[in-house]
Amino acid sequence: QVQLVESGGASVQAGGSLRLSCAASGFTISNYCMGWFRQAPGKERERVARIGRSGTTGYTDSVKGRFTISRDNTKNTLYLQMDSLKPEDTAMYFCAAGFWSGDWCTSKYWGQGTQVTVSS
């Protein structure tokens, strides 16, 4: 059974840091393109970061230099290190697994999300 379980979301003040985790089961993340997405209330889901099978990473412009995506293949877990957080980073964060398409990942499997709230 394929499953993605996010954790690590919390309420923090602006300028703070969080590390999100996404534990995968039922498949091997190193065989997939893995991504982080987020959705704020009233807004569409947007991509945040992705890491390809080769380890190549990519970020949306608003998080470049502040967020770092990584994975631990031995733990079959995806991470998102978030530094210098801003109130506009407030959203539900989701991880997803899929395949490389264009310059990003498709999303075949989704987690249930973890809430990040950044106060000013």
Side-chain angles (χ1 to χ4, degrees):
Q1 180 183 358
V2 171
Q3 195 171 20
L4 291 168
V5 179
E6 300 96 333
S7 62
S11 295
V12 297
Q13 290 192 329
S17 298
L18 284 174
R19 188 175 82 153
L20 304 184
S21 299
C22 172
S25 58
F27 71 102
T28 302
I29 64 169
S30 60
N31 292 333
Y32 286 78
C33 185
M34 301 295 296
W36 285 97
F37 296 76
R38 65 187 180 186
Q39 187 167 21
K43 295 188 177 181
E44 293 186 355
R45 186 173 296 186
E46 65 171 345
R47 57 193 191 187
V48 175
R50 56 99 171 114
I51 182 167
R53 291 175 59 185
S54 65
T56 302
T57 59
Y59 302 88
T60 194
D61 286 346
S62 62
V63 308
K64 283 181 180 177
R66 301 188 297 121
F67 290 11
T68 305
I69 188 171
S70 63
R71 67 179 183 225
D72 185 334
N73 292 337
T74 64
K75 296 181 179 179
N76 213 33
T77 299
L78 179 73
Y79 300 100
L80 184 67
Q81 178 66 41
M82 304 187 296
D83 298 318
S84 301
L85 282 162
K86 303 176 180 180
E88 51 263 44
D89 294 319
T90 295
M92 184 72 78
Y93 283 71
F94 302 87
C95 66
F99 303 98
W100 194 266
S101 178
D103 66 347
W104 212 262
C105 307
T106 60
S107 306
K108 182 176 182 179
Y109 306 122
W110 286 94
Q112 83 292 345
T114 187
Q115 178 68 39
V116 173
T117 303
V118 184
S119 58
S120 57

